[in-house]
Amino acid sequence: MNLMKHPELLDQLAAAHALGTLRGGARRRFEAMAREQAPVRAAALVWQSRVASMNELQAPSEPAPAVWTRIENLVRADSDQQAMAAARATPPNGPGGWLRSLALWRGATAAGALATVLAVVTAVGLRDNLGTRISELQAQLEATPQVEYVAVLHDDQASASMLVTFDPKSRKLTLQRVSGFQEASDKSLQLWALPPSGGPRSLGVLGQERLLQLAAGEGDVREVPTLAISLEPKGGVPSERGPTGPVLFKGALIQKML
């Protein structure tokens, strides 16, 4: 199936892949298509970026006091059951054997109590926070910029290195590093539009952040088939000169069908 002819399905599959709910053969087929088709790969990276940003913004939450009360009750009940089981068992001969049995019983009780605590914290935390978490995710997704252009820039080994998206409403290019590349302190990365005719046009100089934005108008990217990033002297070079350093990353700019 050509997913580019079904943009809603592509978006749903990319979201499920990023959230981990796409599994088995469906996940393998999607990943195979992502390796072969740049639009599918771009959609997957966009959703991975969204999910990662939501995780970073999620504030930690403390369990309610009632949770700790339940934990104490469960730990006490677990300890009582362990004690009754130990009392029913035939005690070893001699005081040394009794002490060893006591030590083992205490260790088993502590392990059981710890497992109970972890299980309760996880279960109660998930139950209590699930509704809140879903609401927060929905709100964050609604606030996500409307991406109409996307590009995955690759190095000469065909490894994804930079995800570029453009939102015409906010007039922002968003760039996210997806590889471990880091330029030297005396160098800068510079983003270029490579139009069908004419020379390259600079779209801006990148800082060293993993996620950054550059101001741009839709006219800067409309009908531009390719974006590229070159390594330049610190602060970049004038647009009219074009890239003076090596082009490190390059990729097709795709306009999404909305």
Side-chain angles (χ1 to χ4, degrees), residues 23-154:
R23 300 175 180 174
R27 187 178 186 87
R28 291 191 293 273
R29 287 191 295 272
F30 181 82
E31 291 174 348
M33 285 188 287
R35 287 191 293 269
E36 298 170 359
Q37 302 178 34
V40 179
R41 186 163 57 249
L45 284 171
V46 166
W47 267 101
Q48 289 171 14
S49 173
R50 288 177 176 176
V51 172
S53 64
M54 285 188 285
N55 288 336
E56 291 173 0
L57 293 173
Q58 176 66 17
S61 59
E62 291 292 334
V67 174
W68 295 114
T69 301
R70 290 186 59 188
I71 291 173
E72 291 174 358
N73 293 336
L74 287 169
V75 170
R76 186 178 300 110
D78 186 75
S79 299
D80 292 343
Q81 290 176 0
Q82 293 282 353
M84 292 175 63
R88 286 194 298 265
T90 302
N93 295 327
W98 183 86
L99 289 173
R100 286 194 298 271
S101 178
L102 178 61
L104 288 172
W105 171 77
R106 287 175 174 170
T109 300
L114 178 59
T116 301
V117 169
L118 292 175
V120 172
V121 168
T122 301
V124 174
L126 286 175
R127 185 201 64 192
D128 292 347
N129 294 329
L130 182 58
T132 301
R133 181 63 173 148
I134 290 175
S135 299
E136 290 175 351
L137 288 175
Q138 290 175 341
Q140 289 169 4
L141 288 177
E142 291 173 359
T144 300
Q146 183 65 57
V147 174
E148 290 192 14
Y149 295 83
V150 61
V152 181
L153 308 189
H154 301 84

Side-chain angles (χ1 to χ4, degrees), residues 156-175:
D156 56 3
Q157 302 298 318
S159 297
S161 300
M162 190 79 68
L163 173 65
V164 184
T165 58
F166 176 68
D167 175 16
K169 291 184 179 179
S170 66
R171 298 174 62 85
K172 295 287 186 181
L173 277 164
T174 300
L175 296 94

Side-chain angles (χ1 to χ4, degrees), residues 141-226:
L141 288 177
E142 291 173 359
T144 300
Q146 183 65 57
V147 174
E148 290 192 14
Y149 295 83
V150 61
V152 181
L153 308 189
H154 301 84
D155 60 18
D156 56 3
Q157 302 298 318
S159 297
S161 300
M162 190 79 68
L163 173 65
V164 184
T165 58
F166 176 68
D167 175 16
K169 291 184 179 179
S170 66
R171 298 174 62 85
K172 295 287 186 181
L173 277 164
T174 300
L175 296 94
Q176 180 175 353
R177 299 175 188 245
V178 293
S179 72
F181 178 84
Q182 189 66 56
E183 64 274 21
S185 59
D186 62 340
K187 299 289 185 179
S188 291
L189 296 180
Q190 191 160 355
L191 179 66
W192 302 88
L194 306 181
S197 59
R201 298 195 312 268
S202 175
L203 295 177
V205 178
L206 283 59
Q208 294 195 335
E209 305 93 334
R210 290 194 63 82
L211 182 68
L212 59 92
Q213 291 186 323
L214 299 173
E218 189 167 6
D220 295 324
V221 297
R222 186 188 297 116
E223 298 182 359
V224 170
T226 308

